[in-house]
Amino acid sequence: MRGSSCELLLDPQAELRKRRLLELARPKKQRPARRTCRQRVWFYATSLFAMTAVSAGSSLLFLVPLYVDPAISTLAADFTPQPVTCVTARRDDRRGINNCTWSSCREGCTSDMYSCTHIFVSYHAHNLTLDSPSSSDFTEEAVLLVNIKGCGYPPEVRCADFNALYGEEGARFPCYYSRQNRTIVMTSYDRDKQVEVIINYFAIPFVVTLVTSVVLCVMHCDCRNTAPPRSFRRHA
């Protein structure tokens, strides 16, 4: 009886010891160390530069084909800086994808064309007044384009107004011809505007992407060209 009573008294004490040992063996949850002010500034600066680099780099994917490429093509065509007088010779309205390989004006530059308008004009390489009655002076014949690509997006390009204004046979208006390809004529041309487009839509985003990428590299990469420490071994 005494042995059994002692065992009953020792069992609760043994269980209590086991619980205490298990509690001591459990890993204690460590509180995360608080960031210092310098670490916070470093984190937010990295996030800002990374977002800026990604945004500027991604914008180039859209700005280059929509704005930069037409501006470069316009400058490469070398349009005359002074306008000459154009006279609409004829207008052809065509339908069918095989008949519409190009158009004088087109709203949208990616979809297939199933209807198009071809406007042909005559002009003289020298400047003539709009009131000149003689039509024999207009010797050059060319196609009229709303811009170098012949397409665009509203509100800058409205083909209904363009075709109504310049598509009427005999209409006279100032125009600019390309000195590289004299069969291309546009109704408006501003060289400074094309240069401004290239600077704003290509040069600035490219420089921002380059600078922020270099800053991130300097912040997180060890750019110092230091040689590894030499290890000296004793020879027996």
Side-chain angles (χ1 to χ4, degrees):
M1 293 293 293
R2 290 181 180 179
S4 61
S5 61
C6 291
E7 290 178 358
L8 292 174
L9 292 174
L10 290 174
D11 287 340
Q13 294 180 358
E15 290 293 333
L16 183 60
R17 290 176 182 175
K18 288 182 180 180
R19 290 179 182 177
R20 290 181 178 178
L21 291 174
L22 290 175
E23 290 178 357
L24 293 175
R26 290 177 183 175
K28 295 183 179 180
K29 295 182 179 180
Q30 297 181 355
R31 295 181 179 180
R34 298 184 62 181
R35 294 179 179 177
T36 62
C37 182
R38 181 180 179 181
Q39 289 176 339
R40 291 180 180 178
V41 172
W42 195 266
F43 172 76
Y44 290 119
T46 301
S47 302
L48 177 62
F49 286 127
M51 292 180 61
T52 304
V54 172
S55 301
S58 301
S59 65
L60 290 174
L61 299 177
F62 301 96
L63 296 176
V64 168
L66 291 179
Y67 297 99
V68 179
D69 182 56
I72 294 176
S73 300
T74 302
L75 293 177
D78 190 20
F79 284 89
T80 176
Q82 298 298 328
V84 297
T85 302
C86 283
V87 176
T88 302
R90 67 182 187 276
R91 169 182 171 177
D92 295 336
D93 294 322
R94 300 187 178 185
R95 294 185 179 276
I97 191 171
N98 294 328
N99 297 325
C100 294
T101 56
W102 65 276
S103 180
S104 293
C105 184
R106 173 188 174 193
E107 293 182 4
C109 299
T110 56
S111 60
D112 295 330
M113 287 189 296
Y114 296 95
S115 62
C116 56
T117 300
H118 296 173
I119 300 177
F120 298 89
V121 299
S122 298
Y123 71 94
H124 196 278
H126 301 286
N127 191 13
L128 299 174
T129 60
L130 293 176
D131 298 331
S132 177
S134 176
S135 60
S136 60
D137 294 330
F138 299 93
T139 56
E140 301 285 347
E141 188 175 58
V143 296
L144 180 65
L145 300 177
V146 66
N147 52 39
I148 193 64
K149 297 295 184 180
C151 62
Y153 298 90
E156 295 180 356
V157 175
R158 296 187 181 275
C159 292
D161 299 337
F162 180 85
N163 295 333
L165 183 61
Y166 304 109
E168 185 178 356
E169 187 174 347
R172 296 193 178 197
F173 50 89
C175 62
Y176 302 83
Y177 66 90
S178 171
R179 287 179 287 196
Q180 296 294 328
N181 185 0
R182 299 173 74 93
T183 61
I184 297 178
V185 170
M186 295 195 312
T187 57
S188 61
Y189 171 71
D190 187 355
R191 186 180 184 278
D192 295 335
K193 184 178 180 180
Q194 304 302 323
V195 174
E196 183 180 355
V197 168
I198 296 174
I199 293 175
N200 292 335
Y201 293 157
F202 177 75
I204 293 178
F206 179 78
V207 171
V208 170
T209 304
L210 181 63
V211 171
T212 51
S213 300
V214 171
V215 171
L216 288 173
C217 179
V218 172
M219 290 175 62
H220 296 278
C221 298
D222 190 3
C223 301
R224 295 173 297 178
N225 189 13
T226 57
R230 296 181 179 179
S231 59
F232 297 94
R233 295 181 179 179
R234 294 182 179 180
H235 299 280

